[in-house]
Amino acid sequence: MADTTQKSNPHKGHRERLKKLFLDEGLDNFQAHQILELLLFYAIPQKDTNEIAHSLLSSFGSLSQVFDAHPRELQKVSGISEHSSTLISMIPQLARAYLKDSNRERTVLDSSEKAGKYIKNFFMGRIYEAFYMFSLDNSCRIIHQDLVCEGTLDETPCYPRLVLDIAFRHNAQKVIFAHNHPSNILRPSTGDIESTKKLINAFESVDIEVVDHFIIGKDDYISMADIGCLR
């Protein structure tokens, strides 16, 4: 009788085993489908999530692409409800909030490498263009970071008066701008260069230095100062 029960329910105890494995060892040795499977335990309590996890990976290609997918696209996968898609979509934003909080000490951005590595975390999981400004003191220590505006998939309007008001509010002596290209094309567009020059002119008129403007891709970034596009 015991053997028959085991054969009819081969997944019995699977959730508990996977949870225990995570608690004992963390996610380092988990495969992508196991990570999704474990996550979905908390949105789908009474169903085998293994098949759904595999379907998600098959539909989107990788774990990161699953997390970056729009909730409406996730819901096209069989077994994924609005509740489940919301949980999945929260992951990169939770990671972004965690990184922002863990770096809340007065980080010094005194090189393009330091600044790029720090700033790219603010764009994790964003599928639309967003424009950030980082207000700095004279030693390039961060005073504050602000999400100035968000746009469409390929355009983020940003107005000099708006960013100047933010800089004045934080008593910024230097600023760094950053926006993302969801297309993952890091080359600055003509519009990027023109709008950056307008911002530089506006800030120079009030003696605030524009240190850099970063374009952020999915996995990398480019410094417009490093490639000579600020002047």
Side-chain angles (χ1 to χ4, degrees):
M1 180 68 69
D3 290 342
T4 303
T5 304
Q6 182 64 27
K7 288 178 182 178
S8 64
N9 189 8
H11 298 294
K12 184 177 181 181
H14 176 64
R15 289 189 175 220
E16 288 70 25
R17 288 192 296 273
L18 205 58
K19 288 176 188 176
K20 185 176 186 305
L21 184 61
F22 166 70
L23 292 172
D24 290 345
E25 301 180 13
L27 291 177
D28 287 346
N29 294 319
F30 272 51
Q31 295 181 46
H33 75 274
Q34 292 176 307
I35 293 173
L36 287 172
E37 192 179 356
L38 178 63
L39 178 66
L40 289 171
F41 287 171
Y42 300 95
I44 308 173
Q46 301 295 330
K47 191 173 181 180
D48 176 20
T49 59
N50 180 278
E51 184 177 343
I52 299 172
H54 280 289
S55 295
L56 284 166
L57 291 169
S58 176
S59 296
F60 296 99
S62 70
L63 183 64
S64 61
Q65 288 175 307
V66 171
F67 289 146
D68 286 343
H70 194 283
R72 286 193 297 271
E73 294 301 311
L74 291 169
Q75 289 170 42
K76 293 178 182 179
V77 175
S78 178
I80 295 296
S81 64
E82 181 181 20
H83 187 56
S84 303
S85 68
T86 300
L87 177 64
I88 292 170
S89 297
M90 284 176 64
I91 299 304
Q93 299 193 42
L94 287 170
R96 190 164 68 236
Y98 167 79
L99 289 166
K100 180 179 177 181
D101 184 71
S102 65
N103 290 316
R104 69 183 181 276
E105 298 298 323
R106 296 290 295 279
T107 303
V108 178
L109 304 182
D110 56 359
S111 72
S112 59
E113 182 179 8
K114 285 182 185 178
K117 287 181 178 178
Y118 177 82
I119 288 169
K120 71 177 184 177
N121 293 326
F122 288 81
F123 295 88
M124 189 181 299
R126 293 193 183 278
I127 60 174
Y128 296 107
E129 277 205 15
F131 185 94
Y132 268 89
M133 184 174 76
F134 297 80
S135 298
L136 313 174
D137 65 15
N138 259 335
S139 299
C140 290
R141 290 179 299 179
I142 292 180
I143 298 171
H144 205 268
Q145 58 270 328
D146 291 272
L147 174 59
V148 179
C149 52
E150 290 181 283
T152 64
L153 278 171
D154 58 2
E155 183 181 2
T156 301
C158 188
Y159 305 103
R161 178 170 296 198
L162 176 60
V163 286
L164 280 171
D165 285 345
I166 295 171
F168 289 146
R169 188 187 316 147
H170 298 304
N171 295 313
Q173 292 162 309
K174 301 182 179 186
V175 294
I176 294 175
F177 304 125
H179 77 281
N180 61 320
H181 281 183
S183 65
N184 207 33
I185 298 172
L186 293 181
R187 183 178 63 255
S189 66
T190 301
D192 291 335
I193 295 170
E194 290 177 353
S195 61
T196 301
K197 287 181 177 178
K198 288 180 183 177
L199 289 170
I200 289 171
N201 290 336
F203 276 78
E204 283 183 342
S205 70
V206 293
D207 292 324
I208 297 176
E209 180 187 352
V210 175
V211 177
D212 210 335
H213 186 163
F214 286 88
I215 298 174
I216 311 296
K218 194 173 183 65
D219 304 305
D220 207 353
Y221 60 86
I222 193 168
S223 157
M224 289 180 67
D226 285 352
I227 62 173
C229 288
L230 286 195
R231 295 292 184 271

